[in-house]
Amino acid sequence: MSIIFVLQNALSFVALILPLLLSIAFFTLYERHMLAAVQRRQGPNIVGFYGILQAIADGLKLLLKESILPKSSNVLIFIFSPVFTFGLAMAGWVVIPVTEGSMLSDFHLGLLYIFALSSLGVHSVIMAGWSSNSKYAFLGGLRSAAQMISYEVSLGAILVSLLLLSGSLNFSTIVEGQANLWLGLPLLPIFIMFFISALAETNRHPFDLPEAEAELVSGYNVEYSAMGFALFFLAEYSNIILICSITTLLFLGGWTLPINIFPFTLIPGAVMFALKTMIFVSLFVLVRGVLPRYRYDQLMRLGWKVFLPISLALLLLYASLLIAFNGVVELVR
């Protein structure tokens, strides 16, 4: 029975990963076409109809290229870092429900599990930068680690606020609690801060300081090529789709709608979830196309001097309101 159980879990994980990899491939194509439209130029349009096979061609190119190992690098850690990064990116999806009961593992600490995985991601970035034995890669790794740690603090305060208001760390329970009202409306300030912190956490523009091409060439992955670079690339875009999915679950009610109007009731839950996630994915791309890059001191100041005090103040406010409301209810009873 144990072997059958392991095989079932392995097959379920493969069934989860394959559509995700295809989603990443077409997300890169979607991003390139959107950026081309923003910049009034042509995007990929040669490989396949309207360039639809360009992402697959790029993936095959990286798969067939020769992997180059720097002579002075720590080979074992250098090879392990992209594998570890990719594994963390894939592991986060096991607790994400697309529809009710559709997640691979429905345990009650799903939100805490995601937060723990994002904290582990710092280690892989540091390992990649250090093991390359390159000053550019090492500086990029330090920048990325400092940036991720800084914004995880404010993200933690935001998640505690959500825990107080929803009473659970389970994604399904949080979505069910938004059946009549999405949390993004009453919690608009932390909704905005969560999205901006998500941009910084995933090292996306305008917070892509670890990968600032004009300064550090390509950041912590500058020495990687072929499949090593491809694994970092897949992990980055998987994390973007993951954080957009989490934002949908926490603030836009996941697969649910608070209104029961006839045309909307016919939309399947998975389609509704995908449409909401695409809104945030599109915002990630548009922000890259229209905003300039922050300076590093501006990035740190925003995280420590703006987001952290505001998120802590809002946490105290929500906790005080809950205590006061519960006291009023007890008096009425």
Side-chain angles (χ1 to χ4, degrees):
M1 290 296 292
S2 60
I3 297 177
I4 295 176
F5 180 74
V6 170
L7 288 176
Q8 287 177 343
N9 284 338
L11 290 175
S12 300
F13 190 69
V14 170
L16 173 69
I17 294 304
L18 289 181
L20 176 60
L21 294 178
L22 286 176
S23 300
I24 294 170
F26 286 105
F27 171 34
T28 60
L29 183 65
Y30 175 70
E31 179 181 36
R32 293 168 73 176
H33 275 295
M34 279 198 68
L35 291 175
V38 169
Q39 299 166 359
R40 297 178 64 85
R41 60 177 174 81
Q42 287 189 337
N45 59 355
I46 302 298
V47 184
F49 176 72
Y50 201 58
I52 198 169
L53 298 179
Q54 183 66 55
I56 297 176
D58 292 340
L60 288 175
K61 180 192 73 172
L62 289 172
L63 181 64
L64 297 175
K65 286 183 70 174
E66 178 185 2
S67 294
I68 300 174
L69 300 177
K71 184 178 180 180
S72 58
S73 66
N74 188 312
V75 177
L76 183 61
I77 300 178
F78 185 83
I79 295 174
F80 175 71
S81 298
V83 177
F84 184 57
T85 304
F86 180 73
L88 290 177
M90 297 297 106
W93 285 96
V94 300
V95 296
I96 301 298
V98 176
T99 57
E100 186 176 0
S102 63
M103 73 290 291
L104 195 61
S105 177
D106 185 17
F107 65 100
H108 63 285
L109 296 177
L111 193 54
L112 185 61
Y113 169 78
I114 292 291
F115 195 64
L117 286 181
S118 68
S119 300
L120 285 174
V122 178
H123 297 79
S124 60
V125 169
I126 287 291
M127 285 192 297
W130 176 82
S131 63
S132 299
N133 201 21
S134 164
K135 58 184 178 182
Y136 296 112
F138 187 59
L139 285 173
L142 291 178
R143 275 189 172 190
S144 182
Q147 177 175 326
M148 294 170 72
I149 292 172
S150 299
Y151 282 86
E152 275 177 5
V153 178
S154 56
L155 277 176
I158 291 171
L159 294 181
V160 172
S161 299
L162 289 170
L163 171 61
L164 287 175
L165 295 171
S166 61
S168 175
L169 289 170
N170 182 275
F171 284 110
S172 298
T173 306
I174 294 173
V175 171
E176 291 168 2
Q178 301 177 67
N180 298 318
L181 178 66
W182 291 344
L183 288 177
L185 299 176
L187 304 181
L188 185 61
I190 67 172
F191 180 22
I192 296 172
M193 286 195 299
F194 185 89
F195 180 75
I196 298 174
S197 298
L199 289 171
E201 187 70 16
T202 53
N203 295 332
R204 287 286 293 188
H205 203 91
F207 307 116
D208 56 340
L209 276 303
E211 302 173 10
E213 293 86 356
E215 305 165 32
L216 300 176
V217 186
S218 183
Y220 57 87
N221 58 5
V222 65
E223 299 293 341
Y224 284 90
S225 61
M227 278 310 297
F229 175 80
L231 290 176
F232 276 121
F233 185 82
L234 290 172
E236 178 182 344
Y237 278 81
S238 173
N239 286 329
I240 293 171
I241 302 175
L242 177 65
I243 201 71
C244 291
S245 302
I246 293 172
T247 308
T248 298
L249 293 170
L250 297 181
F251 295 101
L252 290 189
W255 57 88
T256 64
L257 277 176
I259 53 176
N260 292 318
I261 302 177
F262 171 69
F264 297 105
T265 56
L266 298 178
I267 302 177
V271 175
M272 181 61 64
F273 178 84
L275 290 175
K276 292 178 183 178
T277 304
M278 279 300 299
I279 293 173
F280 295 111
V281 168
S282 301
L283 285 175
F284 264 74
V285 178
L286 287 175
V287 164
R288 180 181 179 182
V290 301
L291 292 181
R293 180 181 289 130
Y294 264 41
R295 291 199 318 266
Y296 201 74
D297 62 310
Q298 294 173 329
L299 172 75
M300 288 291 117
R301 184 170 63 248
L302 180 66
W304 289 105
K305 295 185 178 181
V306 180
F307 281 5
L308 180 58
I310 293 177
S311 59
L312 290 176
L314 289 174
L315 172 59
L316 293 175
L317 174 63
Y318 296 143
S320 302
L321 289 176
L322 284 174
I323 293 172
F325 180 76
N326 290 333
V328 170
V329 170
E330 291 296 328
L331 285 175
V332 171
R333 287 179 179 177

